[in-house]
Amino acid sequence: MPRPWKTTFGLTALVSLAFVLATLVIGLLAYALTHEAMEVQLDHRTATETSALLERAGAGGTPALAELIHQRDAGHSTASLGYILVDPQGRRLAGALDAQIPAKAGYFELLHYGKDGAIAQALITDLPDGSRLLVAADRTVIDEMDITILKLFSASFAAMLLLAVGGAWTVGAVTRSRLRRFDDAAQAIIGGDLTQRMPLDGSDNEFDGVAKSLNHMLDRNAALVENLRQVSSDVAHDLRTPLTRLNNRLDEALAFSGDKRTRAIEAAIAESHELLEVFSAILRISEIEAGTLKRDFQELALGDLVEDVVETYAPDFELSGHALHSTIHMGLRIRGDARLLSQLITNLLDNALRHTPAGTTVALNLTASEAFVILEVCDDGPGVPATERDRLFSRFTRTEASRTTDGHGLGLALVSAVAQIHGGCATVLDKPGFAVEVRLAR
């Protein structure tokens, strides 16, 4: 069942409604405070006028007070103020205000006066001789202020409500339009167009951020699919020969007898072991490229690890007539997998041993930049033609010069995969001999 409050329009409408309600509360609060302030002002005015009358009348008592009220009524010197002065028996002594004086002394909020039912705010004061004085201020100014505030508030509330509905609809429409473009791209990808990507509008907003992340994911998936296709093609192409040899060995074993059959079977077993090693290497590279091994990454001292591998290979280099020199900056630490990094270094050193003649000097350097740890393995051997360097990190790639040596062209492919899973890359440097630089994120 749809839940409108979980849609873009619904969420926007809820936020807008909250602003509308806030406007309503603020408006009512402003109205109440303003109304109360005006009433307090009128009370203060009646109290001030009462004090002024009593002070001026002074010792003259009620007759002097009545005279002052006559003067004020005659001269209209106090606009919107009205007066009533009555004796102890309730007979009017002065004051032209057409109203009945309340029985109770003090402030009286709603005093009706005149034939048209006007309302005043009054202060009734009991005098020492039993007389009573009423001073009233007309409430028309409060009523006019109330009407003005209500009109302004109604207009503001209507505008806010209109903006809320319009804003919710606009945000919902824009969001639906952008999501529809995402959905169209997704449907195209589902339909088989793997080149399709989420659209960007160049605004660098949240939608563009999500689109970039999705496109990065799609690029990664496309690369994995291409890898799978390439692996299938490479396996079909490069393993055809060893599989054919294995088949021939088995055919020979069937045809021979005695020692010849034994030797044929042993040769077939050797071929099968070689094929198993190739498949294991391919699976290892695919596992690394999938990125699932990142969950096992730990903080490790790369300098110590490199030093251990170099010490392990030193005897092999010495026996083969190669020279191995290393410059290792100790104390460099990264997050990674020690086994994968050991395999990376091993492959580079194996590559130097296998494809360079005796007397070659191999140098291993471990340094660092601000963002990367840099491992460089270079030699002064015959090197690789520049035209072949770009494809060296692809599976089953072997140069013409290396086809007479053992191997299947998977060593540098694994080096590249390990570098990438550690947030870096592997490149062949343009130097004399052969040099590989591996960058690993710090």
Side-chain angles (χ1 to χ4, degrees):
M1 183 177 178
R3 298 180 180 180
W5 60 88
K6 290 194 173 182
T7 65
T8 303
F9 175 81
L11 288 174
T12 309
L14 284 176
V15 173
S16 301
L17 179 61
F19 278 108
V20 169
L21 292 177
T23 302
L24 177 63
V25 171
I26 292 172
L28 291 176
L29 186 61
Y31 169 80
L33 291 175
T34 304
H35 182 86
E36 183 65 24
M38 292 294 292
E39 286 189 341
V40 170
Q41 187 176 358
L42 286 186
D43 286 341
H44 178 72
R45 187 179 181 191
T46 55
T48 301
E49 180 66 11
T50 298
S51 298
L53 287 172
L54 294 176
E55 184 178 350
R56 290 193 63 185
T62 300
L65 184 59
E67 182 62 25
L68 286 173
I69 292 173
H70 284 310
Q71 291 176 5
R72 276 172 164 67
D73 285 339
H76 302 288
S77 58
T78 53
S80 72
L81 285 178
Y83 308 93
I84 298 176
L85 178 63
V86 297
D87 63 14
Q89 289 73 38
R91 294 187 296 268
R92 185 180 294 243
L93 301 176
L97 184 66
D98 184 10
Q100 294 294 323
I101 189 166
K104 188 177 179 180
Y107 290 103
F108 194 82
E109 186 174 354
L110 302 175
L111 177 70
H112 295 272
Y113 71 95
K115 296 180 180 180
D116 55 357
I119 300 176
Q121 197 163 309
L123 174 60
I124 300 95
T125 305
D126 291 334
L127 301 179
D129 62 355
S131 301
R132 307 184 74 209
L133 171 65
L134 179 145
V135 177
D138 187 74
R139 286 178 57 94
T140 301
V141 64
I142 295 180
D143 295 337
E144 291 176 350
M145 182 65 71
D146 287 347
I147 292 172
T148 300
I149 292 175
L150 288 174
K151 286 181 178 179
L152 289 173
F153 172 71
S154 299
S156 300
F157 184 78
M160 181 64 73
L161 188 61
L162 183 62
L163 287 173
V165 174
W169 183 87
T170 301
V171 171
V174 171
T175 303
R176 285 194 299 272
S177 174
R178 191 67 188 273
L179 291 178
R180 191 178 300 114
R181 294 167 61 193
F182 281 15
D183 185 63
D184 291 343
Q187 292 300 326
I189 295 170
I190 293 171
D193 184 5
L194 299 182
T195 63
Q196 188 67 248
R197 293 295 180 266
M198 298 299 159
L200 302 172
D201 62 9
S203 62
D204 204 27
N205 58 15
E206 291 83 357
F207 283 108
D208 270 10
V210 172
K212 288 177 182 177
S213 296
L214 290 174
N215 288 341
H216 182 68
M217 178 190 70
L218 291 170
D219 290 340
R220 175 65 174 161
N221 288 342
L224 292 175
V225 171
E226 177 60 24
N227 260 344
L228 181 60
R229 187 196 65 77
Q230 187 65 41
V231 168
S232 302
S233 174
D234 290 341
V235 168
H237 182 271
D238 288 84
L239 297 185
R240 181 181 302 160
T241 299
L243 285 172
T244 302
R245 286 201 306 266
L246 177 59
N247 185 68
N248 292 337
R249 300 286 190 190
L250 293 173
D251 285 340
E252 290 175 358
L254 289 175
F256 296 145
S257 62
D259 292 340
K260 286 186 176 181
R261 172 175 287 186
T262 301
R263 286 194 295 272
I265 292 174
E266 288 174 349
I269 292 174
E271 290 284 352
S272 66
H273 286 168
E274 184 179 354
L275 285 172
L276 287 173
E277 288 178 2
V278 171
F279 277 110
S280 295
I282 293 172
L283 291 173
R284 185 64 168 164
I285 292 172
S286 297
E287 183 182 22
I288 294 169
E289 289 178 340
T292 57
L293 298 178
K294 278 189 175 181
R295 62 174 176 265
D296 298 324
F297 278 15
Q298 296 179 348
E299 190 81 13
L300 55 89
L302 186 59
D304 295 339
L305 187 148
V306 173
E307 189 176 49
D308 289 342
V309 176
V310 169
E311 289 178 357
T312 301
Y313 267 81
D316 295 330
F317 273 80
E318 186 176 350
L319 288 173
S320 64
H322 291 72
L324 177 60
H325 303 295
S326 61
T327 303
I328 302 172
H329 287 199
M330 305 302 290
L332 297 177
R333 304 185 67 83
I334 65 169
R335 282 191 61 80
D337 186 300
R339 292 176 301 171
L340 293 180
L341 293 170
S342 294
Q343 187 66 56
L344 180 150
I345 303 164
T346 297
N347 282 13
L348 291 175
L349 294 179
D350 275 339
N351 197 59
L353 274 175
R354 186 175 295 167
H355 301 297
T356 60
T360 301
T361 298
V362 179
L364 182 149
N365 301 310
L366 180 66
T367 58
S369 64
E370 184 176 349
F372 295 96
V373 171
I374 302 170
L375 175 69
E376 182 181 321
V377 178
C378 56
D379 61 60
D380 57 2
V384 175
T387 55
E388 298 184 6
R389 290 176 182 170
D390 292 340
R391 61 189 187 91
L392 286 178
F393 294 104
S394 301
R395 293 181 179 91
F396 299 107
T397 297
R398 304 189 73 192
T399 64
E400 290 299 325
S402 66
R403 292 193 180 275
T404 57
T405 59
D406 295 335
H408 300 280
L410 295 173
L412 289 181
L414 187 140
V415 167
S416 178
V418 173
Q420 289 178 15
I421 199 176
H422 285 85
C425 62
T427 55
V428 178
L429 300 178
D430 187 13
K431 287 185 175 183
F434 184 70
V436 175
E437 179 187 81
V438 177
R439 290 176 173 262
L440 308 169
R442 300 189 69 176

